[in-house]
Amino acid sequence: MKLIDKVNKALEDDRCFWSFEYFPPKTQQGVMNLYDRIERMCNLGPLFIDVTWRWGGKSSDLTLELCSNSQTVYGVEANMHMTCTNTNFELIKNALDKAKDQGVQNILALRGDLPDNSVEFDPSVGEFKYATDLVRYIRQTYGDYFCISVAGYPEGCLGPEDIDRDIEYLKAKQDEGANMVVTQLFYDVDNFLAWVDKCRKAGITMPILPGIMPIQNYGGFKRMTDLCRIKVPQEIWDRLEPIKDDDQAIKDYGIEVAAQMIRQMQAGGIRGFHFYTINLERSTRLVLERVGLVPAVSEVRPLPWNPSLSEKRAGENVRPIFWRNHARSYIKRTELWDEFPNGRWGDARSPAYGELVHGVQVRLSTEQAVRRWGTPASTDDVKELFVRFCRGQLDTLPWSDTPLQPESALIQARLAEINSRGFLTINSQPSCNGAASTDKMHGWGPPNGFVYKKAYLEFFVSSSAMKDLLARLDTEPTVTYHAVNKAGELLTNCAEDSANAVTWGVFPGKEILQPTIVERVSFLAWKDEAFDFWNAWARVYDRASPAAALLRAFSDEWYLVNVVENNFQKDSASIFELFDGLGQPLPEKAQ
């Protein structure tokens, strides 16, 4: 979808909105971490994200990959930067064709830095002189397909003496087909508001989004403002000087400054705010919280998972629960499907899930993994790590790159308890009987609806403990389960191969939606990944080490089990009562 349509709708509703900018990391580990960050920050409700661009095979390809995956996997519109200095029509067309092929419909058109820090344009090294030329080319070549954003400079591109000339250039970009403006960062709000007024008087009607960069540290702030020739009010320098060696105090003050800027701009009629995150999360989140810019549940969670913006997956509204923490993997393994479930789950055997070609990875470096998880020497050591994760004392495990879902706070203590007994959980949800769709804990979907959930647990367990558990589950008429080992030997009490809806919602004027299901074929496809995470964890250590051997044994000898309590009217605690007295609890000291 074109951003200008979303921006105009928000402005029509007099509704504040915000967006986040990221840059492509230089390492694969950094890329994986950024994906995790983008996924988390989508919960803050950005209208869109954008990703910076640098010409050169891997860098420009990564920008497009980040934009495409953000839309397809995380369901957030992406605005792709594109620079034109030192390029030609063929290079630009190839890049734009790739963007179009991958469903990226929004471009931030920039001139980019001149080579070798020069200030004069050399026509012999490219066919584009200014961003205006790029805007004209995009519009002439692709018509109305792309929404085109352009840069604005409230303090002049090269200095205050350029302000009037820059406004003329901005008007020319609008005349050539640009749709909206994202400004360079600034800290003088009075000057920004005066500049917006000048733009309006010059006939610029495009929406203007101010660029906000929360201060992170003194040295970086000084370098950035010097590089961009940004005027910083003396009051800010005076406040920074006595705390310049205290990074935390600087960050806290940066949050205060950004929040005050937004309040002042809101009073001046500004409704959209663009955050230069420099790939950091905390300051942006705290600024939004400070000024009360918290998205509605229906905006952040139209479904319990982020719907894809891929045209091919339009209308998809049912997924298996197993990939809850691994959306990118699910998208990859289903990308060759011709149709995606809408309203009901079809037969996952036709077409089949794609193979797990390259295996899974731990999204931490070896040093980070050892620092977080130590070097487990026994089953009890592993159990203790799972317990700590359930208690919020550990922020990641190989199966989950983020802490427990907020809803898990309702069952946190019981999760920790069964993990201490050797039922190592990797997915769970509490039951819910008709919570409002706006509920902060359980809610999803449009307002004035009601949502329902069956209690669900997914865990690894030793074969001996599993036998005792299944003997108990077989006596429970409302409980269904699947248990499988690495070799694919399946045990289940489900007589049929049909899908079991574990989440559904009832909304005014709509059919019942059931977006999350448990289903046998999907579970057997997921188990390959689930078991492979043990091997990925083992690879953190020397292959011949006791720790690696221990973790491989979990993969080779344990079972993966999912359990559903189908009576959603029961309290969430009831599913945990099935485990009472089973397993071997950790010694008290370990807990």
Side-chain angles (χ1 to χ4, degrees):
M1 182 177 183
K2 293 196 290 187
L3 291 180
I4 188 60
D5 297 330
K6 300 185 77 170
V7 168
N8 282 338
K9 180 64 169 67
L11 294 175
E12 282 175 23
D13 297 342
D14 196 30
R15 170 169 50 85
C16 285
F17 59 94
W18 47 96
S19 52
F20 304 146
E21 180 169 303
Y22 305 97
F23 63 84
K26 294 182 179 179
T27 67
Q28 184 58 35
Q29 186 67 51
V31 172
M32 294 168 69
N33 291 340
L34 179 58
Y35 276 127
D36 294 339
R37 184 151 289 163
I38 291 173
E39 182 175 17
R40 289 196 303 273
M41 293 183 73
C42 282
N43 292 325
L44 301 176
L47 193 72
F48 67 93
I49 67 163
D50 69 26
V51 184
T52 62
W53 174 279
R54 188 172 68 249
W55 282 101
K58 289 186 177 179
S59 182
S60 55
D61 288 348
L62 181 53
T63 293
L64 178 56
E65 176 192 313
L66 287 163
C67 289
S68 176
N69 281 338
S70 293
Q71 294 188 161
T72 302
V73 179
Y74 306 123
V76 61
E77 297 286 355
N79 195 21
M80 188 175 85
H81 287 216
M82 180 169 288
T83 62
C84 62
T85 296
N86 260 13
T87 65
N88 55 48
F89 297 137
E90 183 180 2
L91 277 173
I92 292 292
K93 188 173 190 308
N94 286 341
L96 290 168
D97 284 348
K98 288 181 181 178
K100 187 177 180 182
D101 287 346
Q102 296 197 32
V104 175
Q105 203 171 0
N106 304 288
I107 301 294
L108 177 52
L110 303 161
R111 185 192 72 178
D113 296 330
L114 292 170
D116 302 322
N117 297 316
S118 57
V119 294
E120 294 296 329
F121 171 73
D122 182 353
S124 68
V125 296
E127 296 174 332
F128 294 89
K129 186 170 184 178
Y130 299 115
T132 309
D133 301 324
L134 179 56
V135 173
R136 182 187 307 115
Y137 176 82
I138 295 172
R139 199 55 81 208
Q140 289 177 350
T141 307
Y142 296 91
D144 197 39
Y145 177 80
F146 288 106
C147 168
I148 304 174
S149 306
V150 292
Y153 301 91
E155 297 177 11
C157 182
L158 297 177
E161 66 277 4
D162 292 324
I163 288 178
D164 290 339
R165 185 177 62 178
D166 286 342
I167 289 176
E168 292 176 11
Y169 290 157
L170 194 57
K171 177 64 164 62
K173 294 174 191 176
Q174 176 178 282
D175 294 343
E176 293 293 350
N179 300 109
M180 53 189 271
V181 181
V182 178
T183 80
Q184 188 180 55
L185 62 107
F186 61 88
Y187 295 91
D188 187 335
V189 175
D190 290 331
N191 180 74
F192 165 74
L193 293 173
W195 176 79
V196 171
D197 189 51
K198 268 191 169 186
C199 289
R200 298 310 184 208
K201 288 177 180 176
I204 295 170
T205 58
M206 297 182 286
I208 297 174
L209 278 58
I212 299 168
M213 180 183 284
I215 305 168
Q216 299 291 341
N217 61 72
Y218 185 86
F221 175 67
K222 192 167 190 320
R223 284 192 299 274
M224 181 63 74
T225 52
D226 287 347
L227 176 67
C228 298
R229 300 177 178 86
I230 300 300
K231 175 188 171 186
V232 180
Q234 188 58 44
E235 177 190 354
I236 292 179
W237 289 123
D238 292 343
R239 290 283 302 276
L240 288 174
E241 183 62 28
I243 59 173
K244 64 182 181 181
D245 295 322
D246 185 338
D247 281 353
Q248 188 56 56
I250 292 281
K251 286 181 172 66
D252 292 343
Y253 178 60
I255 293 164
E256 178 186 329
V257 168
Q260 180 54 41
M261 288 174 64
I262 290 174
R263 291 191 192 100
Q264 187 176 347
M265 285 187 279
Q266 284 177 308
I270 304 300
R271 294 295 177 263
F273 307 96
H274 186 70
F275 286 84
Y276 294 105
T277 71
I278 52 176
N279 290 7
L280 300 175
E281 176 182 356
R282 179 180 177 273
S283 291
T284 299
R285 174 175 55 81
L286 292 178
V287 169
L288 290 171
E289 291 176 358
R290 184 78 60 92
V291 296
L293 295 181
V294 179
V297 169
S298 59
E299 294 173 16
V300 180
R301 302 187 73 199
L303 291 169
W305 38 267
N306 293 328
S308 173
L309 297 182
S310 166
E311 183 177 347
K312 183 179 178 181
R313 303 183 85 102
E316 178 189 23
N317 61 14
V318 186
R319 287 185 187 175
I321 196 171
F322 316 120
W323 283 273
R324 185 183 192 184
N325 298 316
H326 301 277
R328 272 202 297 153
S329 175
Y330 181 77
I331 295 290
K332 184 69 176 174
R333 295 187 67 179
T334 59
E335 64 183 354
L336 297 181
W337 290 11
D338 295 322
E339 295 181 308
F340 296 90
N342 183 318
R344 64 178 293 277
W345 181 258
D347 188 346
R349 290 169 295 196
S350 180
Y353 284 96
E355 292 297 318
L356 188 64
V357 178
H358 301 296
V360 301
Q361 299 178 38
V362 171
R363 295 197 193 179
L364 297 174
S365 68
T366 297
E367 295 75 16
Q368 290 172 326
V370 172
R371 192 160 56 244
R372 275 182 170 83
W373 305 326
T375 304
S378 66
T379 298
D380 279 357
D381 288 347
V382 175
K383 287 160 63 173
E384 185 178 355
L385 288 170
F386 276 79
V387 169
R388 289 177 55 209
F389 179 77
C390 291
R391 290 175 174 166
Q393 299 164 348
L394 195 61
D395 61 358
T396 181
L397 283 174
W399 296 266
S400 182
D401 300 308
T402 58
L404 286 176
Q405 300 280 342
E407 65 180 8
S408 294
L410 301 172
I411 54 176
Q412 189 174 26
R414 299 304 298 266
L415 282 171
E417 181 185 354
I418 66 168
N419 276 272
S420 75
R421 292 178 172 273
F423 301 93
L424 306 181
T425 57
I426 60 172
N427 200 349
S428 63
Q429 76 173 22
S431 61
C432 169
N433 184 15
S437 60
T438 53
D439 184 87
K440 296 294 184 183
M441 190 77 73
H442 297 289
W444 56 271
N448 304 312
F450 296 90
V451 298
Y452 301 81
K453 293 186 294 188
K454 298 175 182 177
Y456 173 81
L457 291 173
E458 184 181 335
F459 52 89
F460 290 102
V461 63
S462 68
S463 56
S464 58
M466 186 198 66
K467 291 176 183 176
D468 294 336
L469 173 64
L470 297 193
R472 183 174 294 182
L473 297 184
D474 283 334
T475 67
E476 297 290 332
T478 61
V479 172
T480 51
Y481 66 82
H482 298 84
V484 67
N485 62 11
K486 184 178 178 179
E489 297 168 343
L490 179 71
L491 299 169
T492 181
N493 65 348
C494 298
E496 298 183 3
D497 211 4
S498 58
N500 181 3
V502 291
T503 310
W504 64 100
V506 181
F507 306 96
K510 290 180 176 288
E511 293 184 350
I512 292 176
L513 296 178
Q514 41 187 7
T516 312
I517 57 99
V518 167
E519 186 264 345
R520 182 184 302 179
V521 173
S522 301
F523 183 59
L524 293 177
W526 157 247
K527 66 94 177 167
D528 295 332
E529 291 176 59
F531 280 108
D532 202 31
F533 274 111
W534 288 110
N535 298 319
W537 188 0
R539 289 193 292 272
V540 168
Y541 311 98
D542 183 270
R543 178 168 180 78
S545 68
L550 171 72
L551 296 170
R552 288 195 298 269
F554 278 95
S555 175
D556 295 339
E557 299 170 12
W558 284 43
Y559 274 75
L560 178 67
V561 182
N562 71 64
V563 177
V564 180
E565 170 53 83
N566 291 281
N567 186 348
F568 60 89
Q569 296 179 321
K570 284 187 176 181
D571 184 87
S572 295
S574 64
I575 196 170
F576 293 96
E577 293 169 1
L578 301 170
F579 299 82
D580 287 350
L582 299 179
Q584 294 295 321
L586 281 169
E588 295 234 351
K589 184 178 179 182
Q591 299 187 57

